């Protein structure tokens, strides 16, 4: 068999894995990989402006495509610039394969130019990483990387390959299968636990489903719908679970937690059985753990055994792939109605509407976001940054596509929204893609706008511009005596910035302009940036103050408390 260079072996491996796009940035230590690219025109490379953006773009690409995202970076700063993106993928359980070039092997450990111990640095934030020192081991290492990244609880894997190893010759032999005795994820639920869960569900008078990102990752939306409809159980979806249950369905309840729907937080506190599916009982969902769901027996279904009983005491733990476990569970659950329970929730919902938009001539951020949803159609995709605009985007998202809402949930990474939207547009080139941006987070990765022009990506960017780091300002107003420190920042002219990047830039300063400007952006075939100059001091409600229970959620600011008044 003909021998080829290690860099070409990398490309052959990617082809075997069905990879059609790489997000990356070249440098001295990975130049052999870039040199090999010309022989593989079926694999597209997207040249980002910063490696962090490569990881975020690949992360979002993976979430909507269902395939692993692939990232390239050079050694030292190139590799360390990936760290935030890798941590983001780790926290949100996204399959990411990062291939970094390392300095030549004889310089390892000698503080050579642009050397960094990236395998050591990333140990806490990857499922697995490996430094490959033998060209014969490149193919097995990459095969293992894809296997580990995409099975069990998905996550990032990093393979570091010195430049000289990329240049050595070897035969290409890709493993037909990967056998890792120490890594055998449990995918099927224990039969007795499944039956016990079904018994609890049948006995329940006030059951609730809490559905998380695991439902979306496992492509288990149909099974969740079947379970909920059979037993008529209301479904609450976490921030990362949005879309996992159809937003238009009568059993859909929206989001819980710190900025979730008031009625959901009250329902959790009253439920007698809580079914957590593919979620990890994050503190933004539970509030004070000791007071969370005090009347409920909890069933927890998750692929990762480490999540079971980590935060809340579980009555019935079931480890397994949520799609598989729900397929096991549904036949054992009896049909039910729970009419009284649903009426109780409806009453709370009617008395505490939570997301009603106030009538005003001002441009409220939630009004802008709602208009974008209303005008963009059911097939559009959305990426968000982190902060107030993210919470409003989540509150008003009631879409039916399980994969159309992409956000940074676990790590809460500002700057995620611009490269994430680019990654979505690469995965879904014919779809409308919106990026909801905060004016602060946008400035962290706005250099990536250039990609939209270079690769003809028609992303629509909506900057919800309130001249503040809005969520920090809100906390300073309510919990730090209004002491606004370092939350207002100088901003560039976003419209001129868009034009400088080769795209259309629009500014909206009157409420009457909102709808027509969104429509104009949707009709434009290329990328558009809209600077929505929204009300500066608008707060995001409902809100559960930090450290308290769900029962203390503030639905709307009390009018007799000036600190909550608009």
């Amino acid at each position: 068999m003909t021998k080829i260079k290690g860099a070409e072996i990398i490309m052959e491996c990617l082809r075997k894995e069905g990879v059609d796009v790489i997000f990356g940035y070249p440098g001295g230590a990975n130049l052999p990989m870039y040199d090999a690219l010309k022989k593989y025109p079926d694999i597209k490379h997207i040249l980002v402006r910063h490696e962090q953006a490569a990881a975020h773009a690949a992360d979002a690409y993976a979430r909507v495509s269902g395939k692993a995202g692939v990232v390239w970076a050079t050694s030292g700063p190139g590799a360390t610039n990936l760290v935030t993106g890798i941590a983001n993928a780790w926290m949100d359980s996204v399959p990411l394969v990062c291939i970094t070039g390392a300095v030549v092997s004889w310089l390892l450990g000698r503080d050579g130019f642009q050397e960094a111990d990236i395998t050591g640095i990333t140990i806490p934030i990857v499922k697995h990483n490996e430094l490959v020192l033998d060209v014969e081991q490149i193919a097995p290492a990459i095969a293992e990387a894809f296997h580990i990244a995409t099975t069990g609880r998905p996550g990032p894997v990093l393979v570091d390959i010195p430049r000289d190893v990329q240049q050595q010759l070897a035969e290409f032999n890709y493993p037909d299968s990967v056998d890792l005795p120490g890594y055998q994820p449990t995918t099927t639920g224990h039969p007795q636990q499944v039956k016990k869960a079904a018994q609890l569900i049948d006995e329940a008078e006030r059951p609730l489903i809490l559905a998380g990102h695991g439902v979306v990752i496992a492509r288990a939306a149909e099974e969740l719908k079947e379970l909920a409809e059979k037993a008529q159980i209301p479904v609450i979806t976490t921030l990362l679970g949005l879309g996992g249950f159809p937003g238009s369905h009568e059993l859909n309840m929206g989001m819980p937690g710190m900025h979730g729907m008031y009625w959901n937080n009250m329902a959790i506190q009253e439920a007698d059985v809580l079914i957590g599916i593919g979620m990890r009982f994050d503190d933004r969902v539970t509030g004070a753990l000791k007071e969370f769901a005090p009347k409920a027996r909890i069933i927890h279904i998750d692929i990762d055994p480490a999540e079971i009983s980590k935060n809340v005491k579980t009555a019935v733990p079931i480890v397994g792939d949520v799609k598989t476990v729900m397929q096991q569970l549904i036949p054992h659950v009896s049909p039910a109605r729970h009419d009284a329970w649903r009426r109780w929730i409806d009453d709370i919902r009617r008395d505490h509407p939570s997301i009603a938009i106030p009538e005003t001539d001002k441009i409220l951020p939630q009004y802008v976001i709602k208009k974008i949803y209303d005008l963009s159609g059911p097939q559009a995709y959305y990426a968000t940054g982190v902060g107030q605009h993210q919470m409003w985007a989540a509150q008003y998202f009631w879409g039916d596509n399980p994969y159309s809402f992409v956000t940074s949930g676990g790590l809460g990474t500002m700057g995620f929204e611009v490269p994430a939207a680019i990654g979505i547009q690469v995965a879904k080139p014919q779809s409308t893609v919106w990026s909801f941006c905060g004016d602060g987070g946008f400035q962290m990765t706005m250099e990536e706008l250039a990609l939209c022009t270079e690769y003809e990506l028609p992303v629509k960017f909506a900057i919800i511009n309130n001249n503040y780091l809005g969520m920090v300002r809100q906390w300073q107003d309510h919990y730090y005596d209004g002491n606004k420190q370092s939350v207002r920042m100088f901003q560039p002219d976003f419209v001129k910035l868009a034009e400088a990047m080769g795209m259309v830039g629009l500014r909206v300063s009157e409420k009457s302009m909102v709808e027509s400007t969104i429509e104009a952006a949707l009709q434009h075939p290329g990328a558009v940036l809209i600077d929505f100059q929204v009300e500066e001091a608008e707060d995001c409600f409902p809100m559960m103050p930090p450290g308290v229970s769900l029962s203390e959620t503030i639905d709307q600011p009390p009018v007799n408390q000036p600190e909550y008044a608009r």
Side-chain angles (χ1 to χ4, degrees), residues 175-509:
D176 294 329
S177 61
V178 175
D179 182 23
L180 299 172
Y183 175 73
Q184 301 292 335
T186 301
T187 57
T188 304
H190 191 286
Q192 293 305 315
Q193 292 299 89
V194 170
K195 289 180 181 177
K196 190 174 178 183
Q199 183 181 348
L200 249 61
I201 294 171
D202 286 350
E203 293 171 356
E205 295 181 356
R206 301 183 304 280
L208 270 182
I209 290 175
L210 261 176
H213 201 199
V215 173
V216 177
I217 293 170
R219 268 46 183 173
E222 282 303 315
E223 286 77 9
L224 174 60
K225 184 166 170 280
E226 186 178 351
L227 173 64
E229 288 180 341
K230 185 173 185 180
Q232 288 294 290
I233 304 173
V235 178
I236 299 172
T237 46
T238 67
L239 172 66
L240 287 174
L242 288 172
F245 191 74
S248 59
H249 198 287
E250 62 177 355
L251 290 170
N252 181 46
M253 303 259 288
M255 190 174 70
M258 180 168 277
H259 290 286
M261 310 300 111
Y262 180 88
W263 62 77
N264 283 337
N265 290 355
M266 298 306 113
I268 289 170
Q269 298 301 82
E270 286 298 315
D272 59 0
V273 169
L274 197 59
I275 310 158
I277 304 176
M279 51 87 65
R280 55 192 177 86
F281 294 100
D282 173 77
D283 62 284
R284 286 296 198 265
V285 168
T286 64
L289 280 171
K290 289 183 179 178
E291 300 169 65
F292 175 74
K295 303 174 184 177
R297 291 174 293 177
I298 294 176
I299 300 165
H300 192 180
I301 303 168
D302 202 282
I303 188 74
D304 187 351
E307 292 297 337
I308 303 293
S309 292
K310 184 174 79 175
N311 292 329
V312 299
K313 185 178 179 181
T314 303
V316 182
I318 306 178
V319 176
D321 172 77
V322 299
K323 186 181 184 78
T324 303
V325 172
M326 278 195 283
Q327 289 172 344
Q328 294 176 267
L329 177 63
I330 290 167
H332 295 287
V333 174
S334 303
R337 292 194 57 81
H338 304 299
D339 290 337
W341 172 228
R342 292 180 59 194
R343 280 196 299 273
W344 185 91
I345 296 172
D346 287 343
D347 288 344
I348 300 265
R349 194 169 180 165
R350 184 184 59 248
D351 295 340
H352 299 271
S354 287
I355 55 172
I357 300 175
E359 289 291 335
T360 174
D361 292 332
K362 298 173 181 176
I363 307 177
L364 297 182
Q366 53 270 54
Y367 174 80
V368 172
I369 289 167
K370 180 71 164 50
K371 278 293 176 188
I372 290 175
Y373 284 141
D374 290 345
L375 295 171
S376 298
Q379 301 306 317
Y381 288 79
Y382 305 92
T384 86
V386 170
Q388 281 184 317
H389 76 279
Q390 177 192 32
M391 293 295 102
W392 280 312
Q395 289 176 343
Y396 291 91
F397 177 85
W398 292 77
D400 290 344
N401 182 349
Y403 322 113
S404 60
F405 187 84
V406 176
T407 192
S408 170
L411 195 64
T413 308
M414 288 180 67
F416 179 74
E417 63 267 47
V418 173
I422 289 170
I424 296 170
Q425 192 76 78
V426 170
K428 300 291 178 182
Q430 305 304 319
S431 299
T432 297
V433 178
W434 279 94
S435 176
F436 289 127
C437 312
D439 49 288
F442 174 76
Q443 294 185 65
M444 291 185 173
T445 51
M446 62 185 180
E447 77 283 350
E448 306 300 330
L449 291 183
L451 274 66
C452 296
T453 301
E454 184 173 355
Y455 296 99
E456 299 181 340
L457 303 171
V459 179
K460 317 302 180 189
F461 296 91
I463 302 179
I464 309 301
N465 182 1
N466 60 6
N467 291 298
Y468 278 113
L469 302 176
M471 192 61 85
V472 182
R473 191 274 307 155
Q474 181 170 337
W475 280 47
Q476 288 178 337
D477 269 349
H478 296 304
Y479 307 115
Y480 293 88
D481 299 322
N483 184 18
K484 299 183 185 63
Q485 290 292 322
S486 303
V487 287
R488 194 176 182 90
M489 61 174 64
F490 169 79
Q491 294 176 336
D493 185 324
F494 292 128
V495 173
K496 289 183 178 177
L497 175 72
E499 292 169 351
M501 293 290 190
M503 66 175 62
V504 171
L506 303 169
R507 179 171 293 114
V508 174
S509 55

Side-chain angles (χ1 to χ4, degrees), residues 50-60 63 69 71 78-98 118 122 125-126 155-158 408 411-416 419-420 445:
H50 190 284
E51 291 86 351
Q52 179 185 348
H56 290 328
D59 175 325
R63 297 194 205 204
V71 179
T80 58
N81 282 345
L82 291 177
V83 168
T84 297
I86 294 172
N88 192 82
W90 167 256
M91 290 289 283
D92 287 352
S93 307
V94 178
L96 201 63
V97 174
C98 306
I118 193 62
T122 55
I125 55 170
V126 293
V157 176
L158 185 141
S408 170
L411 195 64
T413 308
M414 288 180 67
F416 179 74
T445 51

